[in-house]
Amino acid sequence: MDEALLRSLTPSVLAVLVRRGADFAAAEDAVQEALVEAVRVWPADPPRDAKGWLVTVAWRKFLDAVRSDAARRRREDVADGEPAPGPAPEVDDTLQLYFLCAHPSLTPASAVALTLRAVGGLTTRQIAQAYLVPEATMAQRISRAKRTVSGVRFEQPGDVATVLRVLYLVFNEGYSGDVDLAAEAIRLTRQLAAHVDHPEVAGLLALMLLHHARRAARIAPDGSLVPLAEQDRARWDTASIAEGVAILQAALARDRLGEFQAQAAIAALHADAPTAEETDWVQIVEWYDELVRLTDSPLVRLNRAVAVGEADGPRAGLAALADLDPGLPRHAAVAAHLHERDGDPARAARLYAEAARKAPNLAERDHLTRQAARLNARLRG
């Protein structure tokens, strides 16, 4: 069973049902039932047209649900026929579905949560971690969002800024290695850039390309994470870097700075350095100052503390860190790095161990555990 194929087809099948008249929540339920049926049937009898099969089965499931509920009889006007089996049209509906989930009737936070869950394939727990809220809170937010968009017409436009936020978070999940979505996020952002002339769309595309260019160097042969400073820069994708930088320069020339352009500028400075030691940390701090001005995000301030530690020394970095909530994701890891550079390996080892316990994924946990073990071995020796 090709789970990746099922995951890639889900948004498009969902969009077909919504466009044919199903409300969002009912369509999602029908698609999920069709996926279960595919897992059961396909190993013994794989279809020639996977998308067409899923559309047909999901539509049947939707009709069954409509006809079994007397309170929904009004929907039978739009559900009066079953589409004939056969190849589904080759139309990419995924980006349209992103805009549906970013409908103006939803708050930006609810729109992002709904899209990540229904289209991006992320779990409620992953979304909650991205937004620093309890999983139960996020589950309630997603449920309310589904109820809100029930019955909304598919053609109604959504918010571009919200779609960008969703694509950014989907890319980050794919880039972390938890979910293979990074390439899909880049593909959709390219589509958006081709249809929307906005510097922040270009900024997000540049940011994705610059980060994705380093992907091959981020993982060692044994599966362990390789920190940026230790990566083999010869393995970076120079074509993607060149494309990302060109897109960023064109966006910055329009003098409408946004957070994605600022983040892309930081990524470009890393990509431009021949070695880690030659990184222009002073200019990176300046870009982080712009990001703080644009977002006032505590996570941006956390990353800025790392840059300050590189530009002005670990004591300055620790001073910048002192104003931040220790409960922030990766706060302990940043503190460990800065204390190690400041010559306090015992405290750094304890902080690395603490950070490992809080790590959001296995690869990061193993990396932090090895860092703690390295320092503890040095202290024992």
Side-chain angles (χ1 to χ4, degrees), residues 35-93:
L35 294 176
V36 171
E37 189 74 3
V39 171
R40 185 181 69 82
V41 172
W42 285 12
D45 185 20
R48 286 192 298 272
D49 174 25
K51 179 180 174 181
W53 189 98
L54 286 171
V55 168
T56 299
V57 173
W59 190 250
R60 287 175 182 162
K61 299 291 185 183
F62 169 68
L63 290 179
D64 289 344
V66 169
R67 289 165 179 162
S68 67
D69 189 344
R72 297 180 182 178
R73 290 190 184 279
R74 61 184 177 83
R75 296 184 188 170
E76 292 184 357
D77 291 336
V78 296
D80 57 358
E82 178 182 319
E90 292 298 322
V91 178
D92 187 351
D93 301 297

Side-chain angles (χ1 to χ4, degrees), residues 84-268:
E90 292 298 322
V91 178
D92 187 351
D93 301 297
T94 307
L95 195 57
Q96 285 182 289
L97 195 55
Y98 271 65
F99 274 94
L100 173 66
C101 292
H103 193 270
S105 61
L106 295 173
T107 65
S110 294
V112 171
L114 177 63
T115 316
L116 291 172
R117 182 71 186 92
V119 189
L122 276 63
T123 66
T124 303
R125 175 172 295 181
Q126 287 172 316
I127 302 167
Q129 289 173 343
Y131 273 84
L132 311 180
V133 300
E135 185 175 353
T137 301
M138 184 55 66
Q140 292 174 354
R141 184 180 298 175
I142 293 171
S143 295
R144 286 196 300 269
K146 288 180 181 179
R147 290 195 297 270
T148 300
V149 297
S150 292
V152 167
R153 289 183 60 81
F154 189 79
E155 292 82 5
Q156 288 183 267
D159 176 58
V160 173
T162 302
V163 172
L164 288 178
R165 175 64 51 193
V166 173
L167 288 168
Y168 174 64
L169 290 174
V170 170
F171 176 81
N172 281 345
E173 285 297 333
Y175 191 66
S176 73
D178 292 334
V179 184
D180 187 14
L181 292 169
E184 174 69 358
I186 291 174
R187 184 183 70 82
L188 291 172
T189 306
R190 283 191 188 280
Q191 285 191 11
L192 188 60
H195 292 90
V196 177
D197 182 24
H198 193 287
E200 274 294 82
V201 178
L204 178 59
L205 179 57
L207 175 63
M208 289 179 175
L209 290 169
L210 289 163
H211 278 306
H212 206 60
R214 302 200 300 257
R215 190 165 191 175
R218 292 183 72 246
I219 306 297
D222 63 0
S224 61
L225 284 179
V226 181
L228 176 61
E230 300 172 19
Q231 289 176 16
D232 179 0
R233 300 185 178 216
R235 300 187 64 196
W236 289 1
D237 183 346
T238 55
S240 291
I241 291 172
E243 182 185 6
V245 168
I247 292 171
L248 172 63
Q249 288 175 337
L252 291 175
R254 301 176 66 176
D255 199 23
R256 292 168 58 192
L257 184 64
E259 62 174 297
F260 294 124
Q261 295 169 74
Q263 288 191 56
I266 292 170

